[in-house]
Amino acid sequence: MDTRQTVAPLRPVKLFHRFANPGQFLRLSGKVLPWLYGAGVLLTAVGVIWGLFFAPDDWQQGDTVKIMYVHVPFAWLASAGYVSLAICSVLSLVWRHPLADLAAVELGPVGAAFTAVCLATGSLWGKPTWGAWWVWDARLTSVFVLFLLYLGHIALVRAFDDPTRGYRAGAILALVGVINLPIIKFSVDWWNTLHQPASIGLTGAPTIAASLLWPLLFTTLGFTLLFAAITIARTRAGVMERRIRMLLMAKTSEASQS
Amino acid sequence: MTHLPYIAASYVLALGVPLFFAIGTAFRLRYAKRRLAVIDPRGTR
């Protein structure tokens, strides 16, 4: 008799379930986190120092262009964070995966804070450049709506006594809010906005000089890694706190039975 | 730099917010690990 076992190839969904297991997640994230934090801090530091002290001023914006080295990464992460939230919501609604629920809960505050920084740094750039802290421009308004969606998600997932109902409601809100992402992206093309159109795209060459683009790429990548690291670390804490709650509940029920 | 206050405020926010989250999360993780170690020593493995 052939005792060898045939090993079925891992399909993507099975692979996802394997690594989305909370125990596996804790082990894997524990190894990845120091590298993510380290690379994030290093790239951000290089980008910030380069942008502040070595990159030239823009011929039109002057020295306020230095604000772009932090504003653009936070604008990108505001949207990318929401895409991650939507992906977690799909995973939660389709596969009912508890890790996706926890990740969504932990993503909300980080995404909201990054969106708030995007709006604040935009304001700090707008005042000296446009002469106004805020204008109800299509791009600014749609990003503000994104901030409200994040706040709505944070409130909704914590609004129910039964956490599962909160997760479901939050997931539905997050998916409905996805409609705002193309509005943010194309607002500068669809409407006549004060906000300038995109300078970096997937299809065409960037319209920024290389001397300004490189530090921007460094800060964008650096802040993205930091965003990922913070979210993963918060999800780790969430997994541990849930384990603590379950253990305490089990101990309480044991004590009440005996 | 003629717009130094605007630039400085932007960088303080942009560096401060991730730092705040990173430190807050580190404390949360440390507290959770300690509690797990007390409640269930297997949880710390």
Side-chain angles (χ1 to χ4, degrees), chain A residues 123-144:
Chain A
S123 240
L124 286 161
W125 179 85
K127 180 62 181 167
T129 315
W130 293 341
W133 292 104
W134 181 265
V135 286
W136 290 102
D137 167 284
R139 171 59 69 85
L140 275 70
T141 308
S142 52
V143 174
F144 182 64

Side-chain angles (χ1 to χ4, degrees), chain A residues 57-249:
Chain A
D57 290 349
D58 182 69
W59 71 280
Q60 243 178 345
Q61 301 173 52
D63 58 358
T64 56
V65 73
K66 295 187 187 306
I67 296 174
M68 288 299 118
Y69 300 124
V70 289
H71 172 71
V72 174
F74 279 79
W76 140 254
L77 285 167
S79 290
Y82 201 86
V83 171
S84 313
L85 191 63
I87 291 170
C88 287
S89 302
V90 170
L91 297 176
S92 163
L93 289 173
V94 176
W95 285 290
R96 310 246 156 178
H97 209 288
L99 197 62
D101 291 328
L102 284 177
V105 170
E106 300 301 338
L107 253 169
V110 185
F114 273 59
T115 311
V117 173
C118 162
L119 290 168
T121 52
S123 240
L124 286 161
W125 179 85
K127 180 62 181 167
T129 315
W130 293 341
W133 292 104
W134 181 265
V135 286
W136 290 102
D137 167 284
R139 171 59 69 85
L140 275 70
T141 308
S142 52
V143 174
F144 182 64
V145 170
L146 182 72
F147 177 61
L148 295 180
L149 281 166
Y150 271 121
L151 293 187
H153 185 269
I154 293 167
L156 201 55
V157 292
R158 291 162 175 83
F160 295 87
D161 288 333
D162 175 12
T164 315
R165 287 182 66 199
Y167 299 150
R168 295 288 97 79
I172 292 166
L173 174 73
L175 288 178
V176 171
V178 167
I179 192 72
N180 191 40
L181 294 177
I183 296 175
I184 293 173
K185 172 81 179 86
F186 296 110
S187 57
V188 287
D189 304 321
W190 291 342
W191 292 285
N192 186 20
T193 58
L194 195 55
H195 194 285
Q196 68 271 32
S199 308
I200 307 166
L202 291 174
T203 49
T207 55
I208 310 175
S211 55
L212 302 175
L213 182 63
W214 276 107
L216 181 61
L217 291 177
F218 270 88
T219 53
T220 303
L221 193 57
F223 280 119
T224 304
L225 293 179
L226 287 177
F227 184 97
I230 290 166
T231 308
I232 291 171
R234 284 175 61 91
T235 309
R236 266 175 76 81
V239 169
M240 286 182 188
E241 285 162 2
R242 194 187 57 173
R243 189 179 279 180
I244 290 166
R245 277 196 302 276
M246 287 168 72
L247 285 168
L248 287 175
M249 279 168 67

Side-chain angles (χ1 to χ4, degrees), chain B residues 5 8 10-14 16 18-19 21-22 29 34 38-41 45:
Chain B
S10 297
Y11 278 80
V12 165
L13 276 174
L19 189 68
F21 271 106
L29 269 171
R34 278 185 187 171
V38 172
I39 297 166
D40 176 24
R45 284 192 307 187

